[in-house]
Amino acid sequence: MPSATGSATGRLPFVVWVLAAGTFLMGTTEFVIAGLLPEMATDLNVSVSHAGLLITAFAVGMIVGGPTMAMATLRLPQRQTLIGALAVFALGHAVASLSTSFTVVLTARVVTALATGAFWAVGFVIATTAAGPARATRAVGVMMGGLTLANVVGVPIGSFVGQYTGWRGPFWALAVLAALAAAFVGRFIPRTERRAEVSVRAEVRALRQGRLWLALGAAVLIMGGVLATYTYITPLLTDRAGIAAGVVPLVLIAFGIGALGGTAIGGRLGDGRPMATTITAAAATALALLALVPASNSPVAAVVLVFVMALTGFTVNPVVTSLAVRFAGDAPTLTSALTTSAYNTGIAAGSLLAGQALDSSLGLTGPALVGVVFAALTLLPLIALALSGTTRPSRIVSQHTDADGPRAADTTVTTTR
């Protein structure tokens, strides 16, 4: 039987891969609507820009759900929390699939996002605890890989299936898969209780660092830039670039491959030169989005630039996430949740403003122009971080498991610029 707690061979415990599968489902549901937007708008009798609120609503739910659930579940059994989150996730998709009301679908998206926030908040702690301190970063990388893989596989497949079954088909599939994931979690997550070794007061007190908020600000802006464009990429590709609707899922695959590559590049280069990596990548993202405005008349140029914006934009993500957690010192749980909230704040703001730009005189190129502004503004907090001072060590409290249950251990990490 696969071990839930790892082994001495250096392999990650099986539970980490189960959690990665859960993040794959949740990443798919967050972004699959980008490929289903015209169909959903028609079926629910709303405009395409109004249907884009379904992405915004999920992001808002994650903004609230991440830190709220991180604190609310701090002392609850991990296994029950994850099973409950997946059950709510499945139920939310079932309700949305059965409804013809935009309001009901929108509400279901918010509730589903809250469940996703709970899963992420608890899942990261379980993954790092099960993997142990020597493999904690790798375990988190695998979990985030599930999210990125959703853009490569889940979103394009969901978009492709939706063109033949309607948007409800992918929603039903996600509901069933989430129920199966809950069963796997029930089977492989250890039946141990959580107790918090770091108090809520300590978690909040550690958030006073200015450097932490600069890193979170960069996370907001870079994700806002990329997702402002990505949310409305389907009408740009079909109505302006002249790409057939049936080919759009292939373009989404190109976006996902770029995102996966960017995450890998950021993880590899970010340890040695975090600020040089992020500043270069953010500037390249702004330039790619700016080039997309005039070049989107060309199908080939549009596809290439969609790939490039994903590659460069997602290069920033693992670096600023790592910096935020390091800057937080002894508040890793709340900070991990706040990082997720930061990305979703960018998604919410970017998609909302992009929808307004789409309805304005800017038309189909409006979302890309909004993305340019967001990506360019990302340079401000990154440059401020680069100029913020000398290298300083940060203390991170990580949880480990022994015979008596979880315990806290201090790890000193040198934060580089």
Side-chain angles (χ1 to χ4, degrees), residues 33 70 160 225 231 271 289 377 392 395:
I33 288 181
F160 180 79
T231 298
D271 284 334
L289 289 167
L377 289 175
R392 286 179 279 176
R395 187 169 64 88

Side-chain angles (χ1 to χ4, degrees), residues 90-100 104-105 107-108 167-168 171-172 175:
L91 182 61
H93 283 81
V95 169
S97 299
L98 291 169
S99 177
T100 58
V104 171
V105 176
T107 302
W167 65 270
R168 300 173 196 277
F171 270 56
W172 277 118

Side-chain angles (χ1 to χ4, degrees), residues 9-371:
T9 64
R11 296 180 179 177
L12 288 174
F14 185 67
V15 66
V16 175
W17 300 99
V18 174
L19 293 170
T23 61
F24 171 82
L25 294 178
M26 292 170 180
T28 299
T29 198
E30 182 164 14
F31 301 122
V32 72
I33 288 181
L36 303 173
L37 215 55
E39 292 83 359
M40 294 189 74
T42 300
D43 188 57
L44 298 173
N45 296 314
V46 295
S47 66
V48 172
S49 61
H50 197 64
L53 291 175
L54 294 171
I55 294 177
T56 305
F58 192 95
V60 170
M62 283 290 290
I63 293 167
V64 176
T68 300
M69 294 301 178
M71 294 295 96
T73 62
L74 199 60
R75 299 177 184 274
L76 296 180
Q78 297 171 324
R79 181 171 172 273
Q80 293 180 16
T81 301
L82 289 184
I83 292 174
L86 286 166
V88 172
F89 183 91
L91 182 61
H93 283 81
V95 169
S97 299
L98 291 169
S99 177
T100 58
S101 167
F102 179 80
T103 301
V104 171
V105 176
L106 189 70
T107 302
R109 290 282 290 173
V110 174
V111 173
T112 301
L114 292 174
T116 301
F119 186 93
W120 275 88
V122 177
F124 272 124
V125 176
I126 293 177
T128 54
T129 301
R135 291 170 290 166
T137 301
R138 183 181 165 201
V140 172
V142 168
M143 278 193 67
M144 293 189 70
L147 183 64
T148 307
L149 191 62
N151 285 298
V152 182
V153 179
V155 171
I157 289 178
S159 177
F160 180 79
V161 171
Q163 291 181 11
Y164 292 93
T165 66
W167 65 270
R168 300 173 196 277
F171 270 56
W172 277 118
L174 287 166
V176 172
L177 291 173
L180 291 174
F184 270 88
V185 166
R187 175 68 178 84
F188 293 105
I189 297 293
R191 294 175 178 269
T192 55
E193 300 287 323
R194 289 181 75 197
R195 71 172 186 266
E197 298 294 340
V198 180
S199 69
V200 174
R201 180 180 298 179
E203 292 273 341
V204 174
R205 185 173 58 246
L207 302 181
R208 297 175 180 174
Q209 289 196 67
R211 295 183 303 164
L212 167 62
W213 293 102
L214 287 173
L216 292 176
V220 170
L221 291 166
I222 193 63
M223 189 56 68
V226 175
L227 267 296
T229 306
Y230 184 71
T231 298
Y232 298 101
I233 197 65
T234 298
L236 180 72
L237 294 174
T238 56
D239 298 345
R240 183 170 171 84
I243 295 175
V247 181
V248 169
L250 298 179
V251 183
L252 299 183
I253 290 176
F255 177 91
I257 292 173
L260 190 62
T263 301
I265 292 171
R268 181 172 294 273
L269 299 181
D271 284 334
R273 301 181 64 84
M275 301 321 305
T277 300
T278 52
I279 290 172
T280 301
T285 303
L287 291 174
L289 289 167
L290 183 62
L292 184 62
V293 175
S296 56
N297 279 321
S298 165
V300 174
V303 173
V304 170
L305 289 170
V306 166
F307 169 81
V308 172
M309 81 168 182
L311 181 72
T312 55
F314 277 78
T315 296
V316 178
N317 293 354
V319 185
V320 294
T321 299
S322 176
L323 289 176
V325 173
R326 291 178 184 180
F327 293 156
D330 57 0
T333 303
L334 183 55
T335 299
S336 295
L338 284 174
T339 303
T340 302
S341 294
Y343 287 127
N344 282 278
T345 298
I347 294 171
S351 61
L352 182 63
L353 292 175
Q356 295 175 352
L358 182 68
D359 285 339
S360 73
S361 59
L362 296 173
L364 294 171
T365 61
L369 288 170
V370 171

Side-chain angles (χ1 to χ4, degrees), residues 214 218 275-276 278-280 282-283 376-389 417:
L214 287 173
M275 301 321 305
T278 52
I279 290 172
T280 301
L377 289 175
T378 306
L379 294 170
L380 297 180
L382 291 176
I383 292 173
L385 275 174
L387 300 174
S388 63
R417 297 191 298 112

